[in-house]
Amino acid sequence: MDIQAYISSGILEAYLAGELNEQEMLEVDRVATEYNEVRIELDALRESLLKYAQVESKAPRQEVLDGALKSIQEIEKEKFFEVLDDEPEVRIQRVNIVPVWTIAATILLFLSLGFNYVFYSQFKNTKDQLAALQSDQTSLANRVSETNEQLQYAELRIAHFMSEDNIHIRMDGLDLAPESFANVFWNKKSNAVFISVDNLPEPPHGHQYQLWAIKPGVAPIDAGIFDHNQLVQELKIVRGNVEAFAVTLEKEGGSPIATVDKTFVKGFLKKS
Amino acid sequence: MTPTIESKISHLLAERNKEAIELVFTHYGSLLLNIINRVLRDDEMSEDVLQSVLLKIWQNGHNFDSSKGSLFTWLVRVSKNAAIDKTRTKDYRLSQESKNGVEVVSIAESISTGDEIEKLYAKQLIAQLPGDQKVLINMSFFEGYSHKEICENLGIPLGTVKTRIRTAIKHLRSII
């Protein structure tokens, strides 16, 4: 294509003047895209006409642009207000949503607090009851344990009494209390001594009964003081060649030496 | 520089930026007004239509596809359509009826009376441009006359209208 001839043909001026139909204009655009000279020529022509229009007051009045810009501004303003118009709905929704949630949350909170209080009170009561029950149980367990111990002890004593190793000595009342009597069980192997107080008179205030083991040729040997109210009591261990057992009335706390004239009961071992 | 303006405008149009309209007005306004005026033959009404065209360009600028033609071709299409739409309005028909017969006189005035040409001559920059060339430039680019109309009004053969316009602009370019 002869570009200079194309340019010189006046088609570019016709293009700018609006003389060409759209098809022809698009053809010029195509050529201008392909040939840089054509594009440059077109731009130069347009710039020249622009300058001419400015100088010769052929350009459209400024009011045309101002009017268009004003319309654009109004459209933008309308759109802005459309956005604002949408806003209240959102705001109302927000205003509505927030109190509903707040009220609901507050109600739930107070309900929760109320239930918490009730449940805590119940829990505390239950805890106290449980503690009381545990305490009862503990004391019961202690008692059971105590009773068990007592039972075991009783069983031991029964075993002791039933044992063949045990020697039974019946002590009969002497002149001071002819009605009285008591029994001694002496284990020859373990040397344990038990007394079974059966019928001894109430001792005077500040006095106590004391058991003695009597061996030949020696002073009576202390076998321990005992409570005359208690049926069976384990006393001191007694070893050796015992001839008899006797109970004397002594001052409270007992005496190292037997007060022989206050002998209430006395019994001799049977000769085997 | 100019391709930068075309691409700059395209870019601004895509963003719906008002600056695009200002640039279109500055760089293409007079050419578009001329194209509208070719259809309407009414300066005032053409300016109204140009105003609506600027608005349409701003509203539909994102539809412009540079791969399908130049910005100018697109602007011309929008302008022509707007002008044609205007001819279908009652407003346009009434103005045409009242102008019948007057038009020829006014055209004759604008060409024959030396007043305006005198004014143009007063402009130093374009002082050297022959009057007939100015008339050609004005008619073709600023007053909405088609080549055929110029031929008829000035009595120049249609075949030479194009080359005379080209010569006039060439002259213009040489002095500005």
Side-chain angles (χ1 to χ4, degrees):
Chain A
M1 182 185 248
D2 184 348
I3 292 305
Q4 283 314 311
Y6 183 79
I7 291 168
S8 300
S9 72
I11 193 168
L12 302 184
E13 287 82 354
Y15 170 89
L16 290 172
E19 188 68 23
L20 306 182
N21 64 33
E22 184 155 344
Q23 214 49 46
E24 291 165 333
M25 284 187 84
L26 288 171
E27 177 59 19
V28 173
D29 289 339
R30 192 192 62 74
V31 176
T33 309
E34 197 174 335
Y35 298 96
N36 213 28
E37 303 100 295
V38 174
R39 191 181 51 79
I40 290 166
E41 180 70 8
L42 259 181
D43 290 341
L45 279 173
R46 193 173 49 76
E47 286 302 310
S48 301
L49 288 168
L50 183 69
K51 276 183 190 165
Y52 178 90
Q54 283 165 352
V55 172
E56 297 297 303
S57 309
K58 291 293 179 188
R61 290 176 299 122
Q62 182 65 30
E63 286 86 337
V64 174
L65 177 65
D66 293 344
L69 290 175
K70 204 177 166 191
S71 300
I72 288 169
Q73 211 167 13
E74 275 165 16
I75 289 168
E76 284 181 332
K77 206 189 281 178
E78 270 173 40
K79 284 192 176 167
F80 178 73
F81 281 119
E82 273 172 28
V83 173
L84 277 187
D85 285 346
D86 292 342
E87 192 72 4
E89 284 179 27
V90 176
R91 217 180 285 153
I92 286 163
Q93 274 182 326
R94 276 186 195 155
V95 167
N96 285 341
I97 286 165
V98 171
V100 167
W101 280 105
T102 311
I103 290 164
T106 310
I107 289 168
L108 284 174
L109 178 68
F110 280 106
L111 277 175
S112 168
L113 284 174
F115 279 119
N116 279 351
Y117 177 75
V118 169
F119 287 135
Y120 180 71
S121 300
Q122 286 183 356
F123 167 72
K124 203 164 175 283
N125 282 344
T126 312
K127 203 178 159 191
D128 290 347
Q129 285 172 357
L130 181 68
L133 283 172
Q134 278 175 338
S135 166
D136 286 354
Q137 198 197 17
T138 307
S139 63
L140 195 66
N142 285 342
R143 273 162 60 191
V144 168
S145 159
E146 209 174 297
T147 312
N148 267 345
E149 276 176 20
Q150 286 175 351
L151 181 65
Q152 277 178 1
Y153 185 56
E155 279 173 350
L156 268 174
R157 280 185 299 183
I158 287 166
H160 179 81
F161 294 142
M162 302 296 281
S163 168
E164 287 179 359
D165 298 328
N166 266 343
I167 297 164
H168 169 233
I169 305 106
R170 183 183 163 88
M171 296 184 292
D172 290 314
L174 298 184
D175 296 340
L176 286 172
E179 304 291 313
S180 299
F181 66 92
N183 292 287
V184 167
F185 299 90
W186 181 41
N187 192 298
K188 283 199 282 183
K189 275 191 179 164
S190 68
N191 298 309
V193 173
F194 286 84
I195 184 162
S196 168
V197 184
D198 298 305
N199 184 18
L200 279 172
E202 187 73 25
H205 187 70
H207 288 75
Q208 212 173 2
Y209 291 111
Q210 191 168 355
L211 181 69
W212 303 91
I214 297 156
K215 291 181 181 177
V218 291
I221 296 150
D222 172 32
I225 49 172
F226 60 90
D227 183 356
H228 73 284
N229 284 322
Q230 230 178 320
L231 192 60
V232 180
Q233 293 159 71
E234 188 173 1
L235 300 179
K236 288 180 179 176
I237 285 168
V238 174
R239 290 189 184 87
N241 181 24
V242 177
E243 198 176 49
F245 283 95
V247 172
T248 60
L249 185 68
E250 302 293 343
K251 284 188 178 167
E252 205 171 68
S255 165
I257 301 158
T259 312
V260 179
D261 58 346
K262 293 278 184 191
T263 303
F264 273 68
V265 288
K266 189 177 181 179
F268 289 88
L269 274 72
K270 287 172 186 168
K271 303 270 183 190
S272 54
Chain B
M1 176 192 152
T2 316
T4 317
I5 280 173
E6 177 157 348
S7 60
K8 189 177 179 183
I9 291 170
S10 307
H11 186 69
L12 291 168
L13 280 176
E15 291 177 348
R16 275 175 92 93
N17 192 319
K18 276 184 284 187
E19 205 191 321
I21 302 310
E22 291 173 23
L23 289 174
V24 166
F25 180 80
T26 307
H27 292 271
Y28 298 92
S30 49
L31 292 175
L32 296 178
L33 183 64
N34 181 57
I35 282 154
I36 294 162
N37 212 1
R38 283 168 71 101
V39 179
L40 300 178
R41 309 312 312 269
D42 184 314
D43 292 348
E44 207 178 316
M45 203 178 278
S46 293
E47 282 196 328
D48 289 346
V49 171
L50 177 63
Q51 191 169 301
S52 71
V53 164
L54 291 173
L55 192 60
K56 276 180 188 156
I57 287 165
W58 177 74
Q59 285 173 319
N60 303 314
H62 57 277
N63 291 332
F64 167 63
D65 183 354
S66 61
S67 69
K68 290 177 181 171
S70 69
L71 175 70
F72 181 65
T73 300
W74 183 72
L75 293 174
V76 168
R77 186 194 306 146
V78 175
S79 301
K80 276 184 177 171
N81 288 342
I84 289 162
D85 285 348
K86 188 71 181 178
T87 62
R88 291 168 187 150
T89 62
K90 200 179 174 185
D91 188 23
Y92 175 78
R93 280 200 302 275
L94 288 172
S95 75
Q96 284 306 103
E97 282 165 16
S98 65
K99 243 198 298 183
N100 258 343
V102 181
E103 193 183 24
V104 179
V105 178
S106 70
I107 290 165
E109 270 177 2
S110 72
I111 301 157
S112 60
T113 60
D115 289 359
E116 202 170 3
I117 297 168
E118 285 296 325
K119 279 181 194 169
L120 295 176
Y121 278 142
K123 312 279 182 185
Q124 285 193 343
L125 265 173
I126 310 165
Q128 301 156 43
L129 197 66
D132 57 339
Q133 288 188 349
K134 286 194 78 167
V135 168
L136 274 172
I137 290 169
N138 287 340
M139 288 181 85
S140 181
F141 295 102
F142 304 106
E143 288 165 7
Y145 289 90
S146 67
H147 288 184
K148 193 166 171 276
E149 287 166 333
I150 292 166
C151 149
E152 286 164 1
N153 280 284
L154 298 183
I156 305 165
L158 186 60
T160 56
V161 169
K162 215 191 260 184
T163 48
R164 286 222 192 160
I165 290 169
R166 170 149 179 82
T167 309
I169 290 186
K170 232 177 170 178
H171 196 174
L172 173 70
R173 285 170 68 185
S174 69
I175 57 176
I176 57 172

